């Protein structure tokens, strides 16, 4: 169920009416180290509940907050995302940040995408825990002119925000990339935690092993 905070509902409704004729595109960015079923559930639930035409999975080139020893090369992360989403026609791969290289600000990325694709209205999907950090995002006020933020509800985090955030309820999936890397490192199975093709890729390329 989609919920919007009272103070922003009118603003969001106005924006959605103004962009009704545009293609509605979700953006799910991240390190995807590796991609797992939780990512797919979030993308599918948001796409379905908001009636999005497409969700773009956008791996970053250089993870800003991850131990570099654990952040495998982008080429492997891209290959796993591609394998994970290939059976869903509504999911696509977006390589803007990987192709640019280095650390990317969301504002710079979305400015580029909106200029290249003015026919799209973008819905930037973030975890509920990240909403509280929006005031610290680079050029957040300018970014808000380019995208509609979508907050994925997570237990323990408030839905309140000074910004116009669309809130979407998503089933809680207790899976994280950190957990999967630890499982692989210990020689444990990650079957049913990641898509089958991602599991095979990890094994074939001996990823996440000491």
């Amino acid at each position: 169920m989609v919920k919007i905070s009272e103070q922003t509902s009118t603003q969001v409704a106005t924006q959605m009416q103004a962009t009704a004729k545009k293609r509605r595109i979700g953006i799910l960015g991240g390190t995807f180290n590796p991609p797992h079923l939780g990512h797919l559930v979030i993308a599918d639930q948001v796409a379905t509940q908001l009636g999005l035409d497409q969700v773009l999975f956008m791996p970053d080139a250089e993870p800003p907050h991850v131990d570099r020893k654990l952040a495998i090369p982008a080429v492997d992360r891209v290959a796993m995302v591609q394998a994970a989403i290939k059976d869903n026609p509504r999911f696509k791969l977006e390589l803007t940040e990987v192709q640019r290289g280095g650390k990317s600000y969301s504002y710079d990325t979305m400015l580029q995408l909106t200029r290249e694709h003015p026919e799209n209205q973008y819905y930037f999907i973030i975890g509920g825990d990240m909403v509280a950090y929006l005031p610290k995002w680079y050029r957040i006020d300018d970014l808000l002119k380019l995208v509609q933020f979508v907050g994925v509800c997570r237990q323990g985090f408030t839905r309140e925000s000074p910004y116009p955030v669309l809130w979407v309820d998503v089933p809680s999936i207790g899976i994280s990339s950190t957990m999967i890397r630890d499982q692989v490192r210990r020689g444990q199975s990650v079957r049913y935690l990641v898509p089958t093709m991602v599991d095979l890729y990890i094994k074939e390329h001996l990823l996440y092993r000491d």
Side-chain angles (χ1 to χ4, degrees), residues 6-31:
E6 292 181 3
Q7 66 269 30
T8 62
S9 59
T10 301
Q11 184 178 352
V12 171
T14 301
Q15 180 180 348
M16 293 180 71
Q17 289 174 3
T19 61
K21 295 182 180 180
K22 289 190 174 185
R23 294 182 72 240
R24 298 156 62 84
I25 307 297
I27 294 283
L28 184 60
T31 306

Side-chain angles (χ1 to χ4, degrees), residues 55-201:
V55 176
L56 305 180
F57 284 67
M58 186 168 66
D60 48 32
E62 184 180 328
H65 306 299
V66 178
D67 187 332
R68 290 171 185 255
K69 292 179 293 185
L70 299 180
I72 63 174
V75 62
D76 289 314
R77 294 184 285 110
V78 166
M80 287 190 288
V81 170
Q82 205 159 22
I85 67 176
K86 70 175 186 177
D87 64 345
N88 189 326
R90 190 151 58 172
F91 294 168
K92 299 295 180 184
L93 186 63
E94 174 54 60
L95 296 176
T96 296
E97 294 195 343
V98 168
Q99 291 171 347
R100 182 190 299 134
K103 295 181 181 179
S104 297
Y105 288 110
S106 297
Y107 170 77
D108 294 330
T109 300
M110 297 315 303
L111 181 62
Q112 178 180 340
L113 288 177
T114 52
R115 284 176 172 173
E116 292 176 352
H117 302 284
E119 74 279 8
N120 293 343
Q121 168 63 27
Y122 290 101
Y123 293 78
F124 203 100
I125 305 166
I126 60 175
D129 54 330
M130 290 298 298
V131 172
Y133 293 95
L134 286 179
K136 299 181 181 180
W137 282 39
Y138 175 69
R139 297 188 66 169
I140 181 60
D141 292 331
D142 292 323
L143 180 57
L144 285 165
K145 298 174 184 177
L146 302 175
V147 304
Q148 166 64 61
F149 275 101
V150 177
V152 176
C153 294
R154 290 183 178 175
Q155 191 172 21
F157 293 96
T158 178
R159 297 183 183 222
E160 296 179 0
S161 173
Y163 301 112
V165 176
L166 275 172
W167 291 96
V168 176
D169 287 318
V170 172
S172 179
I173 306 294
I175 303 175
S176 71
S177 294
T178 300
M179 180 188 75
I180 292 169
R181 294 195 302 269
D182 289 343
Q183 287 278 98
V184 173
R185 195 170 296 110
R186 294 197 305 268
Q188 302 298 313
S189 171
V190 294
R191 190 178 185 184
Y192 306 125
L193 300 178
V194 299
T196 299
M197 295 305 295
V198 172
D199 188 12
L200 292 175
Y201 190 95

